[in-house]
Amino acid sequence: MSSKIDFKDPNYYTNRELSWLDFNYRVLDEARDKSNPLLERVKFLGITQSNLDEFFMVRVASLAKLTEVKYEGTDASGLTPAQQLKAVNDKAHDMLIKQYSTLNRSLLPAINQVGIHLLTIDALSEKQFQFIKGYFHDELYPVLTPMADDSSRPFPFISNDSLNLSLRITKNDDADAKTLYATLQVPSIFPRVVRLPGAQNDFILIEDVIKRFVNQLFVNYDIKEVSTFRVIRDMDLDVAEEDTSDLLKKVQQQLKLREHGEVIRLEVDANISKKLRKRLVKELQTEEDSVYEVNGPIDLTFLNKLASAVDHDDLKYPPYTAYQPEELNSDHNIFDAIKEHDWLMQHPYDKFDSVVEFIRQASIDKEVLAIKMTLYRVSGDSPIIKYLGRAAQNGKQVTVLVEVKARFDEENNVHWARQLEKMGCHVIYGLVGLKTHSKLSLVVRREENGIRRYIHMGTGNYNDVTAHFYTDLGLLTCNNDIGIDVTNIFNMLSGYSRPPYFHQLHISPHGIRDFIMDRLDEAIKYVKADRPVHIQMKMNSLSDQEMIAKLYEASTAGVAIDLIVRGICCLKTGIPGVSENITVHSIVGRFLEHSRIYLFNFDGDQQVYLSSADLMTRNLNRRVEQLFPVLQPDLAQRVVTIYETMWTDNVKTRTLDKDGIYKRVDRRGRAPLDSQEYFAAQATKLAKAQQSSQRPKSGAQFQPMLSPQNQPDPFNDDDGSDNQ
């Protein structure tokens, strides 16, 4: 029967861009969820804006370029770029309405009730008004630069993501004076959220201060209208790689050109006059569908700053304590610990400090000969960079692959590549035409019995900042086969080596695709032989058509497939005879779900893999990625337990229904389980036991979940560790 089904039928696929917008709606739902702390809801609304901005800068910009050249090819769902662009703008307009409805009807009244006020000019006290008057004259006025727009001075360039004021003015002593126009950029060097004197949590936005006194920049002119606007430009980086010899220079050149990309989105005040709106649309060469009229402050990312500026810890997530095994801290030899057994880390509940400590100890250990590492995204003040430099200065062979094409981290990575070279490290830029997205560290150490390789592999970046709010899994091991595989990967990245096979790892491009396809084919054989089989996967996004078609084929054969997909999911559930055996969950909560888990249970033979790759075409075909096994039985079981805990989540989980809508889990008669808060509570328990000298056994990890029916409410632990 399955041979008669066209698993690539466009009706079986959701458009990738529309699915991403569905994800952002789930983030918006967190802003509207009254069970979340109030200031966290404010932050979630700000996150929906930053998410949208990046989406438009890259994905919508790409659709606009394809539409401009009249490309008529279709995606997996059968839509042309022009159709996608129209559908995306329609859905994004609807989202804008919901964003500002959430702000104006829900969040602003709620924060007002607890004494947090975002004030307008009219609501200021006399003391506060005198304060902003002085602030304007003393701080803002010397920096502001009004730009006239007339026949001798053309419309100025408006930079991406900058906040601007557009003005209509006339000369005040001329009754017949014609209308003139000007533009004023709101300087980004000043905080957008200005704290006011008086009440502890009174604030005003900087653009409102400037609007009130803007007439002082146009002496002898009347201000007829002043309106805020913002543009989002095409910010995709276009680097044509023939070789990597001058890749750094090419990236730097493209970074300069990127600032002048086409306008993809224009946001204007909802009360802007038709005349001024028409002028902006004309001067910025914007399509009408790309104009967004905003009923409130333009650019909601300011909400993150507002929430951070408020002294109201009771309105934020309560803190938890991340756990670090003593064997992996600075008081112990981390290599001895890894020799004893492998270590699995679940960030942020397990401290990322252990990963940093791995590199720190390698940089000063006299027996370490070499360190090799891939860097995709690192923080602005990365301790790992510092320790890699120290290792090179200590005479160790240090090789670092820096991916200078990591989107929106290009400038940061170019900077670190230069710094690493100055410190004596060998810096490489990977393979032509491929991004290196794998997360690998290799430490080569001379020991009594010869050379031993120590490896860290992870699902997330070596970024000590995002490790506090991204969920990821990492493995420390000195398994010999894995060590050989990782050595071969670095030789492949830095030289001409192409190993014929890998012992334990599977590498993209193509290797991960082939492996998962093979596992799904094996699962089909099992169900046809009436043997039990269960596939469980967790990823950020699922969009590769070939992979989805294979999942449909397995489902049609009768394979039970559970998927946790945080973001984009182009697969449809509940298609009769096609995807009835596939269930899709999405978890959106306090932390950004980022780990990738691939579990295959063949009649009790549980195979556990972690990966840096999602099931997207770019990850499977155009990036260097790794998928690696968790071989130590207790750690493999822990990964399974982690997955099953997330699958049992009934607080932050939405289930993808057959109608394409994500719906909350019905938990009537069941105790609430928020998996992220459960993990945080478990980490806190371990950390407290450690601090009180009731030290867990070496290598202690989180306790397995109880069965869902007997699961205690993690919010009501009686030992005080239920900080969530």
Side-chain angles (χ1 to χ4, degrees), residues 500-646:
Y501 67 92
F502 292 95
H503 297 85
Q504 296 288 350
L505 272 61
H506 301 273
I507 305 301
S508 282
H510 309 306
I512 295 176
R513 178 190 296 280
D514 293 344
F515 173 74
I516 294 179
M517 288 286 194
D518 177 72
R519 295 293 82 196
L520 290 170
D521 282 334
E522 186 71 13
I524 292 170
K525 291 178 184 177
Y526 265 69
V527 293
K528 286 182 176 179
D530 289 327
R531 298 179 66 187
V533 61
H534 191 193
I535 307 295
Q536 298 165 294
M537 301 180 183
K538 178 180 183 289
M539 65 205 77
N540 298 332
S541 297
L542 170 60
S543 63
D544 182 79
Q545 185 182 28
E546 185 180 347
M547 194 63 70
I548 293 172
K550 179 60 73 172
L551 289 167
Y552 285 154
E553 182 185 343
S555 168
T556 301
V559 178
I561 301 170
D562 295 337
L563 305 174
I564 302 175
V565 186
R566 184 199 76 221
I568 298 165
C569 182
C570 298
L571 176 148
K572 291 185 176 182
T573 61
I575 303 172
V578 175
S579 61
E580 291 168 309
N581 290 310
I582 302 175
T583 306
V584 176
H585 288 185
S586 175
I587 297 174
V588 177
R590 175 176 183 172
F591 305 111
L592 183 79
E593 288 294 339
H594 195 253
S595 56
R596 288 90 167 191
I597 303 171
Y598 298 92
L599 307 177
F600 309 94
N601 191 317
F602 295 102
D603 197 2
D605 175 20
Q606 180 73 71
Q607 301 173 14
V608 176
Y609 291 86
L610 304 176
S611 183
S612 61
D614 297 313
L615 297 189
M616 304 179 77
T617 304
R618 70 184 189 192
N619 298 97
L620 301 174
N621 290 4
R622 300 192 298 274
R623 289 185 174 184
V624 178
E625 307 267 14
Q626 90 272 7
L627 180 143
F628 56 94
V630 180
L631 299 173
Q632 189 170 296
D634 61 327
L635 299 187
Q637 181 55 50
R638 184 184 170 201
V639 174
V640 172
T641 298
I642 288 169
Y643 186 97
E644 290 177 348
T645 303
M646 290 187 287

Side-chain angles (χ1 to χ4, degrees), residues 130-143 190:
Q130 292 302 320
F131 169 81
I132 66 163
K133 184 177 180 182
Y135 182 63
F136 179 84
H137 284 286
D138 298 340
E139 301 281 341
L140 301 178
Y141 183 84
V143 176
F190 295 104

Side-chain angles (χ1 to χ4, degrees), residues 389 392-393 415-427:
Q393 291 162 1
H415 165 74
W416 285 125
R418 294 292 194 207
Q419 290 298 112
L420 286 164
E421 286 177 338
K422 288 178 182 177
M423 292 187 287
C425 301
H426 297 289
V427 179

Side-chain angles (χ1 to χ4, degrees), residues 194-208:
V194 180
R195 186 184 290 274
L196 294 166
Q200 185 180 12
N201 289 312
D202 281 2
F203 303 90
I204 192 169
L205 295 178
I206 191 173
E207 63 265 30
D208 289 338

